[in-house]
Structures are given as C-alpha cells and as structure tokens.
Amino acid sequence: DEPDNPDAHQLFGLIMARAGQKEPALLHLMRSVELSPERMDYAMNAGQLALSLNKLGMAEKAFRAAAQANPKNMEGWLWLSRTYEAQNRLDDAAALLSDGIASLPDNATLPNALGGLLLRQGHLDEAERHFRASVQKYDQASAPWYNLGNALMLQHRPSEARDAYARALALEP
C-alpha cells in the first residue's frame, strides 16, 4: 500500500474510470497530478475526465498543470481554454490562447482556436484575422479554411467565402 505513489493513483484512476466509477476515479487521477505535476499525461487524463463530469474547477487545475508541465505542447493550452469557455470565462480563454500563440508562434492550431472563440462571440473581423494567420502558418488543414469561410459568410462576403470553402473541401473531400 503506497498512498503517495503517483503511478498507482493514475493506474487505479484509469481502471476505475473504465469500470464506470468516474467520480472516485477522478480523485485518484487528481492525486496523481498533485504528486507528479511534471507529468503532462497524468494531468491531461485528470482534466479530460473532470471536464466530462462537468467538474470545471478540477479540470482547470489539471489542464493548468498540463500546460505548465509542457508549455511548448499546445494541448494543455487548448484544453485549458475550453475549460475557461465552459465556465463562461471567455476573456480568460481568449487571453490564454493569445499567450499560447505568443509562446508557440509557428503553431497553426492555436490561432484557429482563438478565431473560433472570437467567431462564437461575434467578433468577425478578429476571427477572420486569426483564421488567416492559421492558414498562413499551415495551409494543409481543412478546418481553418472552413472556419475562414464561415467568418467571411457572416461578413456577407460570399465569393471570398466560397473560395475558402473550396480550399477546405479540396483538402478534405
């Protein structure tokens, strides 16, 4: 019996979650994060289970640990921003994604995520700018092209939107 073994807590939590005992599983997963905050994988497992259970405070704590464990990995940033959005902390989500973009300037996923958040808030010009930044960084992903098309349609620019949608469709028919 090793109550402070992070590997044991992680494994036991994963087994309990698969067995349908998600609430007690989450406690073990969170304990593994407390004991090994440097383990991004432990934090991601805890955060995703917490988010699925709508335990937003626990999800925030876990995803923050994931982002801190590996700041150059965008997954922690993305999941923490989703948690902020679920908490209706939209300004915090936008600020976090902006920080992520500054830290990972070559990443195309983070500007696409920020564009999506801004689009949902009705900030069409800003959303368009971030979608364009995303496709400039990596033009082989269909989602940013599709999202750019949506932003352009909402701005009543159908011919430009058609071009963006065509690009998205060409990449992922």
Side-chain angles (χ1 to χ4, degrees):
D1 187 359
E2 295 184 48
D4 285 337
N5 181 322
D7 299 326
H9 279 287
Q10 183 71 195
L11 186 58
F12 194 54
L14 292 173
I15 290 168
M16 291 179 77
R18 290 210 177 150
Q21 299 178 7
K22 294 183 177 187
E23 298 269 346
L26 181 57
L27 298 177
H28 284 283
L29 294 176
M30 290 302 293
R31 183 67 179 142
S32 73
V33 174
E34 291 170 13
L35 295 170
S36 286
E38 74 284 356
R39 292 288 306 263
M40 182 178 179
D41 56 334
Y42 286 8
M44 292 298 293
N45 289 337
Q48 288 171 352
L49 181 59
L51 197 56
S52 76
L53 294 171
N54 205 33
K55 304 280 186 182
L56 301 179
M58 291 177 133
E60 178 183 348
K61 183 178 179 181
F63 291 134
R64 178 172 281 112
Q68 291 170 345
N70 189 350
K72 296 296 182 188
N73 185 317
M74 69 168 179
E75 291 300 316
W77 297 96
L78 286 173
W79 283 94
L80 184 54
S81 73
R82 289 177 187 149
T83 303
Y84 285 160
E85 194 171 352
Q87 294 170 321
N88 205 30
R89 293 170 51 193
L90 305 180
D91 290 341
D92 290 337
L96 182 74
L97 289 169
S98 293
D99 289 347
I101 291 167
S103 294
L104 301 168
D106 295 330
N107 183 283
T109 302
L110 293 170
N112 186 52
L114 181 53
L117 175 64
L118 294 167
L119 186 68
R120 289 188 293 281
Q121 292 179 296
H123 303 294
L124 303 180
D125 291 336
E126 289 179 75
E128 176 191 349
R129 183 171 55 84
H130 287 288
F131 294 139
R132 287 191 187 282
S134 182
V135 298
Q136 282 181 330
K137 292 174 185 187
Y138 182 69
D139 67 354
Q140 296 302 304
S142 64
W145 286 109
Y146 179 79
N147 293 335
L148 177 58
N150 288 341
L152 293 167
M153 280 300 288
L154 290 169
Q155 294 177 73
H156 308 287
R157 294 160 55 193
S159 64
E160 291 176 80
R162 187 175 35 255
D163 293 341
Y165 288 139
R167 188 71 186 264
L169 196 56
L171 291 167
E172 197 170 305

